[in-house]
Amino acid sequence: MALVEDNNKGRPSRAPFSERAWPVIATTLKTLGSIAVTLVGLLFITFIIGRVMPIDPVLAIVGERASQSTYDAVYDQLGLDKPLIVQFLYYLWDVLHLDFGTSLLNARPVSEDIARVFPATLELATLGIIFGVVLGVPLGVLAAVRKGSWIDQIARVVALVGYSMPIFWLGLMGLLIFYGILGWVGGPGRVGIFYVDVVPSVTGLILIDAALDGNWEVFKNAFSHIILPASLLGYFSLAYISRMTRSFMLEQLSAEYITTARVKGMSEWNVVWKHAFKNIRVQLITVIALSYANLLEGSVLTEIIFSWPGIGSYITTALLSADMNAVLGGTVVVGLIFILLNIFSDLLYKVFDPRAK
């Protein structure tokens, strides 16, 4: 904090507000500029790829048997007769007004479709990251503290399987065993067919909406449907988080200050959790934030296997149908998620690491 000397009392006082506020304003403007450039770059690359793909969006609308005059009219209506850069500038102007265009499949605004499907992915990924953090962090810490023990071996096997096993195979086996044979969990979809639209949609998160409505029967049914796909996503994040936690902890436990603490007679609990773990929190923030972002945008196969109506399956369906408005809208949302999570992790740096202030 900037200080100046008070001539009357001979002691330091606060600097003028303008001097203290300018660094904050400069940092904020720099962050906003970085966000804008990243989003525009993401939009441009995705837009160009969508236009040069060997998929004709006009045929997706009119069909292959349409006349040439009908084809030409729709072609001009979509603005495909203009240069690519002009098309992109028009699209960029619409996005700045939160207009992602109209879906070619259902003729609804893409923004409404995204608002409808994104809560499903958010709910699934959030439960998955909670599972991964709650189990992955303690497992990584124990593996580092007990290096070479059976706990360490189990943690390494868990991480190896999580990295190696295809998620679509685990999903199919999970449905076969826990749903088809044992009947412990619900099947595909967010809820059973008899519970669809039973509770009013307030947040779009069906577990929260059911709890707000006090309908615990729907809550139980929804939980039985989400627990298996969320556990699978959580397992993959657990593998990554536990591996990185183990690596960070091993580095800290080999440091000289840890040896000094132990020589002074400090308990192992304080050494591990109050000293070593405290110094890896900043690194873990980045790991968890990136893992969460990957779950939000990388759960496509999981959503397809479990018929989960999320943004991953929405973008996939739109891409296969040449609905580039929907693809671009979903891409913007996914890119914005990554950016916001990175900014959030930077803010947490200042909380947990005084050196970043």
Side-chain angles (χ1 to χ4, degrees), residues 23 197 240 318 341:
D197 297 331
Y240 176 60
L341 285 175

Side-chain angles (χ1 to χ4, degrees), residues 35-105:
I35 293 174
V37 171
T38 303
L39 280 178
V40 171
L42 176 66
L43 269 175
F44 180 76
I45 294 174
T46 309
F47 183 87
I48 296 300
I49 292 176
R51 286 295 185 265
V52 300
M53 285 179 61
I55 299 177
D56 193 340
V58 179
L59 290 180
I61 299 176
V62 302
E64 296 182 356
R65 297 185 179 181
S67 62
Q68 186 63 38
S69 59
T70 302
Y71 181 93
D72 293 339
V74 175
Y75 187 87
D76 295 340
Q77 184 179 359
L78 294 178
L80 299 178
D81 57 323
K82 298 178 175 62
L84 282 178
I85 188 63
V86 175
Q87 296 179 41
F88 173 72
L89 291 177
Y90 277 130
Y91 181 77
L92 183 61
W93 176 257
D94 292 336
V95 170
L96 292 177
H97 293 80
L98 300 181
D99 180 11
F100 296 105
T102 302
S103 173
L104 303 181
L105 292 178

Side-chain angles (χ1 to χ4, degrees), residues 55 103 105 313-327:
I55 299 177
S103 173
L105 292 178
S313 59
Y314 175 76
I315 294 176
T316 302
T317 303
L319 182 61
L320 295 176
S321 304
D323 189 354
M324 294 311 299
N325 285 339
V327 173

Side-chain angles (χ1 to χ4, degrees), residues 129 133 136-138 140-141 240-249 273 276-292 345 348-349 352:
I129 197 65
V133 172
V137 172
V141 172
Y240 176 60
I241 291 172
S242 64
R243 181 172 176 268
M244 298 306 296
T245 302
R246 179 182 181 274
S247 176
F248 295 152
M249 285 296 294
W273 293 103
F277 183 75
K278 183 178 180 180
N279 288 332
I280 71 168
R281 290 183 302 180
V282 174
Q283 295 168 295
L284 278 182
I285 289 172
T286 301
V287 170
I288 294 172
L290 292 178
S291 182
Y292 187 39
S345 63
L348 290 181
Y349 285 168
F352 292 110

Side-chain angles (χ1 to χ4, degrees), residues 26-344:
T27 301
T28 302
L29 292 176
K30 182 179 179 180
T31 301
L32 293 176
S34 176
I35 293 174
V37 171
T38 303
L39 280 178
V40 171
L42 176 66
L43 269 175
F44 180 76
I45 294 174
T46 309
F47 183 87
I48 296 300
I49 292 176
R51 286 295 185 265
V52 300
M53 285 179 61
I55 299 177
D56 193 340
V58 179
L59 290 180
I61 299 176
V62 302
E64 296 182 356
R65 297 185 179 181
S67 62
Q68 186 63 38
S69 59
T70 302
Y71 181 93
D72 293 339
V74 175
Y75 187 87
D76 295 340
Q77 184 179 359
L78 294 178
L80 299 178
D81 57 323
K82 298 178 175 62
L84 282 178
I85 188 63
V86 175
Q87 296 179 41
F88 173 72
L89 291 177
Y90 277 130
Y91 181 77
L92 183 61
W93 176 257
D94 292 336
V95 170
L96 292 177
H97 293 80
L98 300 181
D99 180 11
F100 296 105
T102 302
S103 173
L104 303 181
L105 292 178
N106 53 33
R108 287 198 301 260
V110 172
S111 56
E112 293 183 6
D113 284 344
I114 293 177
R116 174 176 51 85
V117 301
F118 182 70
T121 298
L122 178 64
E123 189 172 39
L124 183 63
T126 301
L127 286 180
I129 197 65
I130 290 174
F131 179 87
V133 172
V134 170
L135 296 180
V137 172
L139 182 61
V141 172
L142 289 176
V145 173
R146 300 288 185 263
K147 182 182 178 182
S149 66
W150 62 271
I151 296 179
D152 187 22
Q153 297 301 326
I154 290 177
R156 295 169 69 178
V157 170
V158 167
L160 179 62
V161 173
Y163 276 110
S164 306
M165 201 69 68
I167 193 170
F168 68 88
W169 185 85
L170 286 178
L172 293 174
M173 291 300 101
L175 281 174
L176 175 64
I177 297 173
F178 296 105
Y179 170 63
I181 298 177
L182 299 176
W184 289 356
V185 299
R190 298 183 75 184
V191 291
I193 189 172
F194 297 107
Y195 298 99
V196 175
D197 297 331
V198 171
V199 297
S201 179
V202 178
T203 64
L205 310 175
I206 194 166
L207 292 177
I208 295 179
D209 289 341
L212 292 175
D213 191 57
N215 196 326
W216 300 110
E217 186 176 355
V218 174
F219 181 93
K220 181 180 178 180
N221 184 268
F223 185 79
S224 70
H225 281 76
I226 198 175
I227 185 63
L228 183 58
S231 298
L232 287 177
L233 289 179
Y235 175 56
F236 279 86
S237 65
L238 180 153
Y240 176 60
I241 291 172
S242 64
R243 181 172 176 268
M244 298 306 296
T245 302
R246 179 182 181 274
S247 176
F248 295 152
M249 285 296 294
L250 286 176
E251 181 180 359
Q252 293 298 321
L253 292 174
S254 62
E256 293 183 358
Y257 76 94
I258 293 294
T259 303
T260 302
R262 284 171 172 164
V263 169
K264 290 182 176 181
M266 184 173 294
S267 66
E268 189 67 13
W269 174 271
N270 288 333
V271 169
V272 172
W273 293 103
K274 292 187 177 182
H275 285 72
F277 183 75
K278 183 178 180 180
N279 288 332
I280 71 168
R281 290 183 302 180
V282 174
Q283 295 168 295
L284 278 182
I285 289 172
T286 301
V287 170
I288 294 172
L290 292 178
S291 182
Y292 187 39
N294 287 329
L295 292 185
L296 285 170
E297 63 88 22
S299 57
V300 176
L301 290 176
T302 303
E303 292 183 357
I304 293 176
I305 292 170
F306 290 91
S307 299
W308 199 262
I311 194 169
S313 59
Y314 175 76
I315 294 176
T316 302
T317 303
L319 182 61
L320 295 176
S321 304
D323 189 354
M324 294 311 299
N325 285 339
V327 173
L328 286 170
T331 303
V332 172
V333 172
V334 171
L336 187 61
I337 289 170
F338 268 93
I339 293 172
L340 292 178
L341 285 175
N342 280 325
I343 294 175
F344 181 68

